[in-house]
Amino acid sequence: KAVVSTQSTGEIILKRMLLQPLLVQSNLVNTAAVKYFIEELKINEHFDALRSFLCMNNGMFGDSLSKGIFSLIEGDRDLRNSQAKLNSILHEAMECSKIDHRLSLESVPDEDPIRGLLLNYAVDWPSNVIICDNALSKYNEIFRFLLKLKHGCYMLDKIWFLLGSVDKESDSPQLRRLQVCRYEVAQCLHTLQIYMTHQLHNISWHELQNALRSVSSVSELQKVHSNYLDLAMERLLLGNSTRAYHEVILKILVHVTTFVKLLEGASFVKDAQENTTHPNFDKMVQLHQNFVKQAIFVLKVAESSNASGFKPYIDEFTLRLDFNHYYQSQTITKRQSLSGLSFQVNRSKLAPALSSPAPTSSSMGW
């Protein structure tokens, strides 16, 4: 009993004389380190810069950079051998920025030119303890996905101009049908952009700013930033649990590119009834039907996902995509019956699609 009592007394002495002062010193050091990162190194300004440029919150930057890259891709230029041109495009996009020296654009070997792009952000020590290589890799994954969405909108604009250059006085059912196809896909991609803008630049960023107010150590600061990126990627459908949605979106973007190639692959001609027709019309309508199937598939995946565990961002995504139950209220069979030359539609309902002005850079920005 005496030994036990002595050990207990010794433990009490150690806690009071050694442990408590060490904890106090540790808290002081952690507080000073966090204050150094936030006030001296201005780590939150780095977060904001990454959000503005790699996450394309700066609309003017994203619009200028993406258009320059797309013009290179459209000219069939190998981005790996166009480093000088890439530097010129980046410099032009960063003219109004105060930290242009931190960004560099390069291309690595890849079958997909956009997937091979890297927008590097230079981070000095010790800020790179928080913004590490793994974090920058995630930022680049977000950057490439947003760039792919912008490329889809860029190609849809091209379809709009190509269809707008055709003589509309012929009252062609085929031309009206193609306009409706383009309009529906454009509405879908525009909805995706709004969803991702809200999730990335509003919800995720707001959560990061709130979490930074209660950070008490450098390791906690690193964890907060890592959690911010992981949640942002999940909400942008880039995480492991949302990979199915991501694959569907990529397929839709491939359909858009194929649509442009088919449209450019032949010219509109007049048939015996003086109607304007296109040799690849049936193939383009088939692409639109595939798009509808993909949209309905996404809704089915979301329904099964919510059954296993409700996720608010998935619910918002499907609500925006299927607003007023547009896709759920129509079966694929009924929608496929709309294809072909027998397609009839009330022209007054088509007015927004046929007479709508070309999308502007501001409407495409993030």
Side-chain angles (χ1 to χ4, degrees), residues 108-179:
V108 297
D110 199 289
E111 295 180 0
D112 184 351
I114 294 180
R115 196 170 56 203
L117 285 173
L118 284 174
L119 185 59
N120 299 314
Y121 182 84
V123 187
D124 302 326
W125 188 87
S127 297
N128 59 3
V129 173
I130 308 300
I131 308 173
C132 57
D133 291 340
N134 184 42
L136 291 174
S137 177
K138 292 178 181 178
Y139 275 113
N140 262 288
E141 191 172 349
I142 293 173
F143 167 72
R144 288 190 291 267
F145 183 52
L146 299 182
L147 195 62
K148 278 182 174 292
L149 280 179
K150 276 185 167 289
H151 186 248
C153 294
Y154 177 85
M155 299 302 280
L156 286 167
D157 288 348
K158 189 173 183 179
I159 295 172
W160 189 90
F161 285 112
L162 290 171
L163 294 177
S165 63
V166 180
D167 182 17
K168 298 179 181 178
E169 295 180 359
S170 59
D171 194 26
S172 168
Q174 281 195 10
L175 187 60
R176 294 200 304 272
R177 173 60 171 159
L178 294 178
Q179 284 280 21

Side-chain angles (χ1 to χ4, degrees), residues 1-255:
K1 291 182 179 180
V3 173
V4 173
S5 177
T6 302
Q7 288 178 346
S8 299
T9 304
E11 289 178 359
I12 293 172
I13 293 174
L14 285 174
K15 288 181 179 179
R16 291 183 177 180
M17 299 186 65
L18 294 178
L19 186 58
Q20 287 186 358
L22 285 175
L23 290 174
V24 171
Q25 290 294 326
S26 176
N27 290 334
L28 290 174
V29 170
N30 285 331
T31 302
V34 170
K35 186 176 181 180
Y36 175 70
F37 271 94
I38 292 178
E39 296 184 5
E40 298 293 329
L41 297 178
K42 300 186 184 303
I43 195 69
N44 201 32
E45 291 187 6
H46 287 290
F47 295 158
D48 189 45
L50 289 164
R51 170 178 175 246
S52 295
F53 302 116
L54 275 83
C55 297
M56 294 192 184
N57 187 46
N58 187 319
M60 293 182 64
F61 168 82
D63 190 57
S64 177
L65 182 69
S66 59
K67 285 184 177 180
I69 293 172
F70 300 155
S71 63
L72 287 181
I73 296 174
E74 206 170 36
D76 293 328
R77 295 187 61 173
D78 188 353
L79 298 185
R80 292 173 295 173
N81 301 325
S82 305
Q83 188 58 50
K85 188 63 179 176
L86 288 175
N87 292 337
S88 175
I89 291 171
L90 179 62
H91 179 73
E92 184 178 349
M94 293 294 298
E95 278 184 344
C96 300
S97 174
K98 297 180 181 180
I99 56 168
D100 55 338
H101 62 281
R102 292 188 177 274
L103 289 176
S104 62
L105 184 63
E106 63 176 308
S107 178
V108 297
D110 199 289
E111 295 180 0
D112 184 351
I114 294 180
R115 196 170 56 203
L117 285 173
L118 284 174
L119 185 59
N120 299 314
Y121 182 84
V123 187
D124 302 326
W125 188 87
S127 297
N128 59 3
V129 173
I130 308 300
I131 308 173
C132 57
D133 291 340
N134 184 42
L136 291 174
S137 177
K138 292 178 181 178
Y139 275 113
N140 262 288
E141 191 172 349
I142 293 173
F143 167 72
R144 288 190 291 267
F145 183 52
L146 299 182
L147 195 62
K148 278 182 174 292
L149 280 179
K150 276 185 167 289
H151 186 248
C153 294
Y154 177 85
M155 299 302 280
L156 286 167
D157 288 348
K158 189 173 183 179
I159 295 172
W160 189 90
F161 285 112
L162 290 171
L163 294 177
S165 63
V166 180
D167 182 17
K168 298 179 181 178
E169 295 180 359
S170 59
D171 194 26
S172 168
Q174 281 195 10
L175 187 60
R176 294 200 304 272
R177 173 60 171 159
L178 294 178
Q179 284 280 21
V180 172
C181 293
R182 185 211 65 85
Y183 186 78
E184 186 173 338
V185 179
Q187 183 69 20
C188 174
L189 292 189
H190 181 62
T191 298
L192 276 174
Q193 285 187 324
I194 295 175
Y195 161 79
M196 292 185 179
T197 298
H198 177 59
Q199 291 292 332
L200 181 59
H201 300 307
N202 293 336
I203 295 179
S204 296
W205 180 255
H206 182 70
E207 289 176 351
L208 173 64
Q209 295 306 303
N210 284 339
L212 288 176
R213 296 189 183 97
S214 58
V215 167
S216 59
S217 66
V218 174
S219 60
E220 189 175 342
L221 178 61
Q222 189 178 28
K223 184 178 180 181
V224 163
H225 182 237
S226 179
N227 289 341
Y228 157 71
L229 284 175
D230 290 339
L231 281 173
M233 291 187 68
E234 282 290 328
R235 289 164 175 164
L236 295 182
L237 313 178
L238 293 171
N240 293 328
S241 63
T242 54
R243 186 60 59 177
Y245 304 98
H246 179 70
E247 295 297 332
V248 170
I249 293 172
L250 292 182
K251 289 179 181 178
I252 291 173
L253 296 175
V254 170
H255 292 335

